[in-house]
Every structure is written in structure tokens, then in C-alpha cells.
Amino acid sequence: MVVFYPNSAIHAKTLDLKNSLSQTLTQYYSFAGRHAKIASAYVDCNDEGAEFLEASVNGTLSNFLQNSLHEDLDQFFPYSDRVIPFAVQVSHFECGGMAVAMSLSHKVADGTSLTQNMDFRLIRGFLPFENINMNFVGLSIESSNHSITRSFVFPNSKMNKMKNNIKSTTAESGRPIANPTRVEVLNWLLYKCSVAAATKNSSGSFKPTGVCHQMNIRNKMIEPLSKNTIGNYYFSMEILTKNEREINETQEAKDANPQSKKMVSNTSGASVLEEKQRTIDETETCMFTSICGYPAYGIDFGW
């Protein structure tokens, strides 16, 4: 995640970031360790520290944000050795604006944890799990020269129109969806467009397609956790679409998914998903995630 700040005489506060990070790492001690080379799913808490980089950017922040092609966001991220769980990069623009970016290993914590930790302050630490047999490879997205990044803006008026269309369409089918969320509506739209494009590229032949969405389950466990709990507490909701008719049934699958209310382990459903993963890996898969509702705009580092 990268956050941008306009010029507000904060150049001198880079030292404050380093100091607060070092204090926070005494609590989030695994972030300051290293992934074990023999068993990379484990962290050797050896206090070697997180990586902190500084960089200078030619140009102003406003010019960058107005003309960004999105692929140029990569320059702000502290891509480091994979054995380092946590790295930070502070980039200074000519105008005095700043970009603060963090990379956190998913083997240590999830996106919710990253958002919480970006304030460099202790909220709540890790929950201990003494015996976890985690034999789960997980998901990986390899870098590719064919990867592109695009940004699409949906005005509220268009969002409301899509919501109303879904309400009326599902009501006519006898299986009404009364209040679809923004995330559900946009996921459905993007998924439908992706499937249509893939079908066109396959000479009009529909191929079974998978859709995968990550869900934060801190408030969905039998004993709900604090929303600030650090770790991997997410569930990967996976749905296989065998034909075009099933594209409209993703919301029903979400509501009927019993696992979304029964997860009780820090392994985040890894064993539950193992069989599903073998099935969905054989198809074209669309993966979705969202930070809507996350306290991203509250990340001010005390400024």
C-alpha cells in the first residue's frame, strides 16, 4: 500500500517515522525477523529489523497524480529480498510532497493488518497458536510483462443505477437481492465483462470460470476478534461458474457459504480450501479484493 501526502513541511518528519517504526517493531517482533530459508512459512525472530528506504522523485506530487499511468506506482515500493517480511519506502517529491509505501509478507499478516500497522503504533498484537500444521501452498501471482494496471471511476449515480438493476432483475427471478453492496455490484460487473471478453477470445465458446474474493473474517468467527488483531484472518470465497447463467448467482453463494461464519483458526481456512483450490486452478480465475471500509484515510502518522 502507498499513501500520498501534499507538502506540509513534513520533510523533517522522516526521522519521526524511523523512530516510531523502531518502537512499534518491538511489539510486532516478527516483522523485524527473517523468513527461514529452509521453512519459508516460518519467521526467525532474530531482530535484524525492517528495511527502510528513502528516494527522490523528479517532479511534483500533483503532476504525478494527474498524469500517472498506474504502472509507474511500482517505483514507490520497497521491493526487497523475499526473506524480509516488512519494508518501508519514503519518496520525496520536488514540491515537498511525500509518498509512504509499505510491503508486508502475506505469510505474516493480511491486508487488514497492513492498514492497521501503517500508523506505526501498537493497537493489538498477535494471538498465539502453539500447534498449527500448515501444509498450504497458497496463491501467487507472478510478475509478467503482459500485466497492466488500469483505473476506472464509477460515479454514485451509475452505482445506484446498477444496484437498482440488480434489485429489479433478481426480484423478477423470484430470488431477490434486497441490498447489494458497492463491492458486490462492481465485482459482478467486472467479472461479467471479463467472462464476456474471454468468451469472445475463445471464438464464442464459454469456458468454466472461477471467481475468488478475499473476506476479512475477524468479526465472523465464533468468538469475534478485535478488528485490529494482527495476523492472517481472512477467508477466500471461491465460486466456480460452469455456465453463463451462474454468473448471476454469486451473491446467493456468498449468503449460503457456511464457512464464512465458522472459521476459528489463524490458518484462515487453508485446509478447507485445499480441495477447492485444485478445482479452481484448472479454470480461468478472476481474483477480487477491496479496501472499502478500511481506515485508509485515517493513516496520518500523527501529522
Side-chain angles (χ1 to χ4, degrees):
M1 179 178 286
V2 57
V3 288
F4 296 94
Y5 297 92
N7 182 8
S8 56
I10 56 178
H11 250 90
K13 295 197 174 182
T14 305
L15 182 59
D16 291 340
L17 284 178
K18 293 180 180 179
N19 291 335
S20 57
L21 174 59
S22 64
Q23 294 173 24
T24 303
L25 287 175
T26 62
Q27 303 294 330
Y28 298 112
Y29 46 85
S30 62
F31 293 178
R34 293 293 183 269
H35 284 300
K37 293 183 179 180
I38 297 177
S40 61
Y42 293 86
V43 175
D44 180 8
C45 298
N46 54 16
D47 293 332
E48 287 195 24
E51 188 171 67
F52 192 102
L53 306 176
E54 285 193 76
S56 298
V57 183
N58 294 327
T60 64
L61 173 60
S62 60
N63 184 64
F64 173 81
L65 294 178
Q66 291 172 9
N67 299 289
S68 172
L69 298 176
H70 306 296
E71 280 87 353
D72 50 10
L73 290 172
D74 285 351
Q75 63 183 305
F76 298 114
F77 285 96
Y79 289 112
S80 57
D81 194 306
R82 290 191 178 188
V83 301
I84 301 177
F86 186 54
V88 180
Q89 179 175 313
V90 177
S91 301
H92 302 279
F93 290 87
E94 292 178 349
C95 61
M98 289 175 63
V100 181
M102 295 189 183
S103 294
L104 177 63
S105 169
H106 219 324
K107 295 176 181 178
V108 179
D110 55 15
T112 302
S113 303
L114 175 63
T115 308
Q116 297 295 342
N117 194 63
M118 284 197 77
D119 261 335
F120 290 165
R121 56 192 173 91
L122 178 64
I123 301 176
R124 180 165 181 175
F126 302 91
L127 295 183
F129 288 84
E130 296 180 0
N131 298 299
I132 297 178
N133 180 18
M134 188 170 67
N135 182 23
F136 181 59
V137 177
L139 302 173
S140 64
I141 302 177
E142 300 298 329
S143 299
S144 169
N145 293 330
H146 302 293
S147 298
I148 60 173
T149 306
R150 292 293 181 266
S151 176
F152 302 93
V153 178
F154 296 85
N156 283 336
S157 59
K158 298 296 183 181
M159 293 293 298
N160 291 331
K161 183 177 180 180
M162 284 191 288
K163 284 186 177 184
N164 290 331
N165 287 342
I166 289 178
K167 290 178 184 179
S168 60
T169 301
T170 56
E172 293 173 0
S173 70
R175 291 179 290 188
I177 298 176
N179 188 28
T181 68
R182 292 178 300 164
V183 173
E184 290 166 349
V185 169
L186 284 180
N187 280 1
W188 173 81
L189 174 65
L190 294 173
Y191 182 47
K192 185 176 181 180
C193 292
S194 297
V195 170
T199 301
K200 183 177 180 180
N201 290 337
S202 300
S203 301
S205 176
F206 182 88
K207 294 175 60 178
T209 309
V211 59
C212 175
H213 189 86
Q214 312 300 324
M215 298 171 58
N216 175 16
I217 61 169
R218 285 164 174 77
N219 63 342
K220 294 180 173 62
M221 301 175 88
I222 294 174
E223 295 182 8
L225 298 174
S226 166
K227 64 180 181 179
N228 300 327
T229 303
I230 300 298
N232 274 305
Y233 295 93
Y234 71 95
F235 179 77
S236 182
M237 184 185 72
E238 298 174 343
I239 301 167
L240 181 63
T241 303
K242 298 177 182 178
N243 54 61
E244 293 177 271
R245 176 182 57 82
E246 293 180 345
I247 293 177
N248 297 320
E249 298 176 359
T250 55
Q251 171 67 29
E252 296 168 26
K254 171 180 175 291
D255 292 340
N257 191 338
Q259 297 298 335
S260 64
K261 298 182 179 180
K262 293 184 179 180
M263 300 311 302
V264 294
S265 170
N266 182 259
T267 56
S268 309
S271 60
V272 176
L273 294 177
E274 193 169 352
E275 184 61 36
K276 287 184 180 179
Q277 192 62 46
R278 282 196 291 267
T279 302
I280 206 166
D281 277 346
E282 298 173 0
T283 69
E284 296 290 333
T285 304
C286 296
M287 298 181 62
F288 294 96
T289 188
S290 169
I291 60 169
C292 285
Y294 282 32
Y297 288 100
I299 302 172
D300 62 4
F301 304 110
W303 296 335

PDB file of all heavy atoms in Angstrom, residues 117-138:
ATOM      1  N   ASN A 117      -1.212  -1.407  10.661  1.00  0.00           N
ATOM      2  CA  ASN A 117       0.189  -1.214  11.032  1.00  0.00           C
ATOM      3  C   ASN A 117       0.793   0.040  10.408  1.00  0.00           C
ATOM      4  O   ASN A 117       1.822   0.530  10.866  1.00  0.00           O
ATOM      5  CB  ASN A 117       1.014  -2.428  10.616  1.00  0.00           C
ATOM      6  CG  ASN A 117       2.377  -2.445  11.256  1.00  0.00           C
ATOM      7  OD1 ASN A 117       2.495  -2.532  12.472  1.00  0.00           O
ATOM      8  ND2 ASN A 117       3.416  -2.354  10.457  1.00  0.00           N
ATOM      9  N   MET A 118       0.158   0.589   9.378  1.00  0.00           N
ATOM     10  CA  MET A 118       0.724   1.753   8.708  1.00  0.00           C
ATOM     11  C   MET A 118       0.750   2.987   9.592  1.00  0.00           C
ATOM     12  O   MET A 118       1.402   3.976   9.286  1.00  0.00           O
ATOM     13  CB  MET A 118      -0.030   2.057   7.412  1.00  0.00           C
ATOM     14  CG  MET A 118       0.330   1.111   6.298  1.00  0.00           C
ATOM     15  SD  MET A 118      -0.138   1.698   4.662  1.00  0.00           S
ATOM     16  CE  MET A 118       1.152   2.915   4.350  1.00  0.00           C
ATOM     17  N   ASP A 119       0.023   2.958  10.707  1.00  0.00           N
ATOM     18  CA  ASP A 119       0.087   4.086  11.633  1.00  0.00           C
ATOM     19  C   ASP A 119       1.284   4.001  12.562  1.00  0.00           C
ATOM     20  O   ASP A 119       1.484   4.887  13.410  1.00  0.00           O
ATOM     21  CB  ASP A 119      -1.198   4.159  12.465  1.00  0.00           C
ATOM     22  CG  ASP A 119      -2.157   5.178  11.896  1.00  0.00           C
ATOM     23  OD1 ASP A 119      -1.698   6.095  11.221  1.00  0.00           O
ATOM     24  OD2 ASP A 119      -3.361   5.060  12.138  1.00  0.00           O
ATOM     25  N   PHE A 120       2.080   2.924  12.438  1.00  0.00           N
ATOM     26  CA  PHE A 120       3.278   2.764  13.271  1.00  0.00           C
ATOM     27  C   PHE A 120       2.951   2.861  14.755  1.00  0.00           C
ATOM     28  O   PHE A 120       3.662   3.505  15.527  1.00  0.00           O
ATOM     29  CB  PHE A 120       4.334   3.832  12.939  1.00  0.00           C
ATOM     30  CG  PHE A 120       4.962   3.659  11.608  1.00  0.00           C
ATOM     31  CD1 PHE A 120       5.698   4.689  11.040  1.00  0.00           C
ATOM     32  CD2 PHE A 120       4.835   2.487  10.894  1.00  0.00           C
ATOM     33  CE1 PHE A 120       6.308   4.552   9.806  1.00  0.00           C
ATOM     34  CE2 PHE A 120       5.443   2.333   9.647  1.00  0.00           C
ATOM     35  CZ  PHE A 120       6.169   3.372   9.108  1.00  0.00           C
ATOM     36  N   ARG A 121       1.879   2.280  15.181  1.00  0.00           N
ATOM     37  CA  ARG A 121       1.554   2.320  16.598  1.00  0.00           C
ATOM     38  C   ARG A 121       0.935   0.994  16.986  1.00  0.00           C
ATOM     39  O   ARG A 121       0.286   0.332  16.191  1.00  0.00           O
ATOM     40  CB  ARG A 121       0.589   3.461  16.917  1.00  0.00           C
ATOM     41  CG  ARG A 121      -0.708   3.436  16.113  1.00  0.00           C
ATOM     42  CD  ARG A 121      -1.479   4.731  16.263  1.00  0.00           C
ATOM     43  NE  ARG A 121      -2.624   4.787  15.370  1.00  0.00           N
ATOM     44  CZ  ARG A 121      -3.840   4.364  15.694  1.00  0.00           C
ATOM     45  NH1 ARG A 121      -4.055   3.829  16.882  1.00  0.00           N
ATOM     46  NH2 ARG A 121      -4.841   4.445  14.853  1.00  0.00           N
ATOM     47  N   LEU A 122       1.136   0.626  18.251  1.00  0.00           N
ATOM     48  CA  LEU A 122       0.634  -0.655  18.721  1.00  0.00           C
ATOM     49  C   LEU A 122      -0.859  -0.564  18.983  1.00  0.00           C
ATOM     50  O   LEU A 122      -1.314   0.287  19.742  1.00  0.00           O
ATOM     51  CB  LEU A 122       1.361  -1.073  20.009  1.00  0.00           C
ATOM     52  CG  LEU A 122       0.877  -2.383  20.613  1.00  0.00           C
ATOM     53  CD1 LEU A 122       1.171  -3.539  19.665  1.00  0.00           C
ATOM     54  CD2 LEU A 122       1.519  -2.635  21.959  1.00  0.00           C
ATOM     55  N   ILE A 123      -1.622  -1.429  18.348  1.00  0.00           N
ATOM     56  CA  ILE A 123      -3.060  -1.491  18.592  1.00  0.00           C
ATOM     57  C   ILE A 123      -3.391  -2.790  19.316  1.00  0.00           C
ATOM     58  O   ILE A 123      -3.939  -2.806  20.390  1.00  0.00           O
ATOM     59  CB  ILE A 123      -3.852  -1.395  17.272  1.00  0.00           C
ATOM     60  CG1 ILE A 123      -3.517  -0.073  16.567  1.00  0.00           C
ATOM     61  CG2 ILE A 123      -5.339  -1.472  17.532  1.00  0.00           C
ATOM     62  CD1 ILE A 123      -4.157   0.097  15.224  1.00  0.00           C
ATOM     63  N   ARG A 124      -3.034  -3.866  18.711  1.00  0.00           N
ATOM     64  CA  ARG A 124      -3.167  -5.153  19.362  1.00  0.00           C
ATOM     65  C   ARG A 124      -2.231  -6.122  18.665  1.00  0.00           C
ATOM     66  O   ARG A 124      -2.109  -6.107  17.451  1.00  0.00           O
ATOM     67  CB  ARG A 124      -4.616  -5.670  19.280  1.00  0.00           C
ATOM     68  CG  ARG A 124      -4.753  -7.029  19.965  1.00  0.00           C
ATOM     69  CD  ARG A 124      -6.197  -7.378  20.214  1.00  0.00           C
ATOM     70  NE  ARG A 124      -6.279  -8.667  20.892  1.00  0.00           N
ATOM     71  CZ  ARG A 124      -7.406  -9.199  21.330  1.00  0.00           C
ATOM     72  NH1 ARG A 124      -8.524  -8.558  21.183  1.00  0.00           N
ATOM     73  NH2 ARG A 124      -7.403 -10.358  21.926  1.00  0.00           N
ATOM     74  N   GLY A 125      -1.560  -6.942  19.439  1.00  0.00           N
ATOM     75  CA  GLY A 125      -0.552  -7.804  18.866  1.00  0.00           C
ATOM     76  C   GLY A 125      -1.105  -9.080  18.296  1.00  0.00           C
ATOM     77  O   GLY A 125      -2.284  -9.193  17.957  1.00  0.00           O
ATOM     78  N   PHE A 126      -0.241 -10.078  18.191  1.00  0.00           N
ATOM     79  CA  PHE A 126      -0.602 -11.359  17.613  1.00  0.00           C
ATOM     80  C   PHE A 126      -1.291 -12.235  18.651  1.00  0.00           C
ATOM     81  O   PHE A 126      -1.022 -12.143  19.848  1.00  0.00           O
ATOM     82  CB  PHE A 126       0.657 -12.078  17.115  1.00  0.00           C
ATOM     83  CG  PHE A 126       1.429 -11.307  16.099  1.00  0.00           C
ATOM     84  CD1 PHE A 126       2.447 -10.444  16.476  1.00  0.00           C
ATOM     85  CD2 PHE A 126       1.134 -11.434  14.751  1.00  0.00           C
ATOM     86  CE1 PHE A 126       3.174  -9.739  15.536  1.00  0.00           C
ATOM     87  CE2 PHE A 126       1.856 -10.729  13.802  1.00  0.00           C
ATOM     88  CZ  PHE A 126       2.866  -9.877  14.201  1.00  0.00           C
ATOM     89  N   LEU A 127      -2.157 -13.110  18.169  1.00  0.00           N
ATOM     90  CA  LEU A 127      -2.728 -14.134  19.038  1.00  0.00           C
ATOM     91  C   LEU A 127      -1.892 -15.399  18.900  1.00  0.00           C
ATOM     92  O   LEU A 127      -1.564 -15.800  17.782  1.00  0.00           O
ATOM     93  CB  LEU A 127      -4.183 -14.427  18.649  1.00  0.00           C
ATOM     94  CG  LEU A 127      -5.171 -13.283  18.836  1.00  0.00           C
ATOM     95  CD1 LEU A 127      -6.569 -13.757  18.467  1.00  0.00           C
ATOM     96  CD2 LEU A 127      -5.157 -12.767  20.256  1.00  0.00           C
ATOM     97  N   PRO A 128      -1.532 -16.037  20.003  1.00  0.00           N
ATOM     98  CA  PRO A 128      -0.659 -17.208  19.912  1.00  0.00           C
ATOM     99  C   PRO A 128      -1.396 -18.457  19.460  1.00  0.00           C
ATOM    100  O   PRO A 128      -2.517 -18.722  19.885  1.00  0.00           O
ATOM    101  CB  PRO A 128      -0.151 -17.361  21.357  1.00  0.00           C
ATOM    102  CG  PRO A 128      -1.254 -16.804  22.189  1.00  0.00           C
ATOM    103  CD  PRO A 128      -1.848 -15.666  21.396  1.00  0.00           C
ATOM    104  N   PHE A 129      -0.773 -19.217  18.582  1.00  0.00           N
ATOM    105  CA  PHE A 129      -1.261 -20.529  18.179  1.00  0.00           C
ATOM    106  C   PHE A 129      -0.081 -21.485  18.293  1.00  0.00           C
ATOM    107  O   PHE A 129       0.870 -21.410  17.519  1.00  0.00           O
ATOM    108  CB  PHE A 129      -1.802 -20.512  16.743  1.00  0.00           C
ATOM    109  CG  PHE A 129      -3.107 -19.776  16.620  1.00  0.00           C
ATOM    110  CD1 PHE A 129      -3.120 -18.408  16.476  1.00  0.00           C
ATOM    111  CD2 PHE A 129      -4.311 -20.460  16.669  1.00  0.00           C
ATOM    112  CE1 PHE A 129      -4.314 -17.726  16.364  1.00  0.00           C
ATOM    113  CE2 PHE A 129      -5.504 -19.781  16.567  1.00  0.00           C
ATOM    114  CZ  PHE A 129      -5.513 -18.415  16.412  1.00  0.00           C
ATOM    115  N   GLU A 130      -0.121 -22.366  19.279  1.00  0.00           N
ATOM    116  CA  GLU A 130       1.050 -23.166  19.596  1.00  0.00           C
ATOM    117  C   GLU A 130       1.310 -24.272  18.587  1.00  0.00           C
ATOM    118  O   GLU A 130       2.453 -24.555  18.254  1.00  0.00           O
ATOM    119  CB  GLU A 130       0.898 -23.772  20.998  1.00  0.00           C
ATOM    120  CG  GLU A 130       0.846 -22.698  22.090  1.00  0.00           C
ATOM    121  CD  GLU A 130       0.705 -23.312  23.476  1.00  0.00           C
ATOM    122  OE1 GLU A 130       0.646 -24.559  23.545  1.00  0.00           O
ATOM    123  OE2 GLU A 130       0.648 -22.568  24.453  1.00  0.00           O
ATOM    124  N   ASN A 131       0.261 -24.905  18.112  1.00  0.00           N
ATOM    125  CA  ASN A 131       0.450 -26.050  17.218  1.00  0.00           C
ATOM    126  C   ASN A 131      -0.410 -25.885  15.970  1.00  0.00           C
ATOM    127  O   ASN A 131      -1.613 -26.092  16.019  1.00  0.00           O
ATOM    128  CB  ASN A 131       0.085 -27.363  17.929  1.00  0.00           C
ATOM    129  CG  ASN A 131       0.978 -27.620  19.119  1.00  0.00           C
ATOM    130  OD1 ASN A 131       2.182 -27.751  18.992  1.00  0.00           O
ATOM    131  ND2 ASN A 131       0.377 -27.673  20.305  1.00  0.00           N
ATOM    132  N   ILE A 132       0.215 -25.491  14.911  1.00  0.00           N
ATOM    133  CA  ILE A 132      -0.502 -25.327  13.641  1.00  0.00           C
ATOM    134  C   ILE A 132       0.204 -26.139  12.572  1.00  0.00           C
ATOM    135  O   ILE A 132       1.394 -25.948  12.321  1.00  0.00           O
ATOM    136  CB  ILE A 132      -0.560 -23.851  13.200  1.00  0.00           C
ATOM    137  CG1 ILE A 132      -1.342 -23.017  14.230  1.00  0.00           C
ATOM    138  CG2 ILE A 132      -1.224 -23.732  11.834  1.00  0.00           C
ATOM    139  CD1 ILE A 132      -1.400 -21.551  13.890  1.00  0.00           C
ATOM    140  N   ASN A 133      -0.520 -27.066  11.981  1.00  0.00           N
ATOM    141  CA  ASN A 133       0.033 -27.858  10.883  1.00  0.00           C
ATOM    142  C   ASN A 133      -0.414 -27.205   9.588  1.00  0.00           C
ATOM    143  O   ASN A 133      -1.521 -27.445   9.102  1.00  0.00           O
ATOM    144  CB  ASN A 133      -0.445 -29.304  10.979  1.00  0.00           C
ATOM    145  CG  ASN A 133       0.117 -30.162   9.851  1.00  0.00           C
ATOM    146  OD1 ASN A 133       1.089 -29.780   9.209  1.00  0.00           O
ATOM    147  ND2 ASN A 133      -0.495 -31.309   9.633  1.00  0.00           N
ATOM    148  N   MET A 134       0.414 -26.361   9.022  1.00  0.00           N
ATOM    149  CA  MET A 134       0.032 -25.596   7.841  1.00  0.00           C
ATOM    150  C   MET A 134       0.752 -26.141   6.615  1.00  0.00           C
ATOM    151  O   MET A 134       1.916 -25.840   6.361  1.00  0.00           O
ATOM    152  CB  MET A 134       0.362 -24.119   8.025  1.00  0.00           C
ATOM    153  CG  MET A 134      -0.183 -23.242   6.908  1.00  0.00           C
ATOM    154  SD  MET A 134      -0.043 -21.487   7.262  1.00  0.00           S
ATOM    155  CE  MET A 134       1.738 -21.286   7.251  1.00  0.00           C
ATOM    156  N   ASN A 135       0.051 -26.974   5.880  1.00  0.00           N
ATOM    157  CA  ASN A 135       0.594 -27.534   4.650  1.00  0.00           C
ATOM    158  C   ASN A 135      -0.203 -26.961   3.486  1.00  0.00           C
ATOM    159  O   ASN A 135      -1.011 -27.619   2.862  1.00  0.00           O
ATOM    160  CB  ASN A 135       0.506 -29.072   4.682  1.00  0.00           C
ATOM    161  CG  ASN A 135       1.111 -29.691   3.441  1.00  0.00           C
ATOM    162  OD1 ASN A 135       1.935 -29.079   2.781  1.00  0.00           O
ATOM    163  ND2 ASN A 135       0.694 -30.904   3.122  1.00  0.00           N
ATOM    164  N   PHE A 136      -0.005 -25.674   3.238  1.00  0.00           N
ATOM    165  CA  PHE A 136      -0.821 -24.966   2.254  1.00  0.00           C
ATOM    166  C   PHE A 136       0.075 -24.055   1.432  1.00  0.00           C
ATOM    167  O   PHE A 136       0.765 -23.191   1.965  1.00  0.00           O
ATOM    168  CB  PHE A 136      -1.889 -24.142   2.971  1.00  0.00           C
ATOM    169  CG  PHE A 136      -2.801 -23.388   2.042  1.00  0.00           C
ATOM    170  CD1 PHE A 136      -3.564 -24.061   1.103  1.00  0.00           C
ATOM    171  CD2 PHE A 136      -2.889 -22.011   2.121  1.00  0.00           C
ATOM    172  CE1 PHE A 136      -4.410 -23.367   0.256  1.00  0.00           C
ATOM    173  CE2 PHE A 136      -3.733 -21.314   1.282  1.00  0.00           C
ATOM    174  CZ  PHE A 136      -4.497 -21.992   0.350  1.00  0.00           C
ATOM    175  N   VAL A 137       0.099 -24.282   0.135  1.00  0.00           N
ATOM    176  CA  VAL A 137       0.963 -23.515  -0.746  1.00  0.00           C
ATOM    177  C   VAL A 137       0.469 -22.081  -0.884  1.00  0.00           C
ATOM    178  O   VAL A 137       1.235 -21.127  -0.881  1.00  0.00           O
ATOM    179  CB  VAL A 137       1.032 -24.183  -2.134  1.00  0.00           C
ATOM    180  CG1 VAL A 137       1.875 -23.337  -3.084  1.00  0.00           C
ATOM    181  CG2 VAL A 137       1.623 -25.577  -2.011  1.00  0.00           C
ATOM    182  N   GLY A 138      -0.860 -21.907  -0.971  1.00  0.00           N
ATOM    183  CA  GLY A 138      -1.427 -20.578  -1.106  1.00  0.00           C
ATOM    184  C   GLY A 138      -1.480 -20.125  -2.550  1.00  0.00           C
ATOM    185  O   GLY A 138      -1.243 -20.894  -3.479  1.00  0.00           O
TER     186      GLY A 138
END
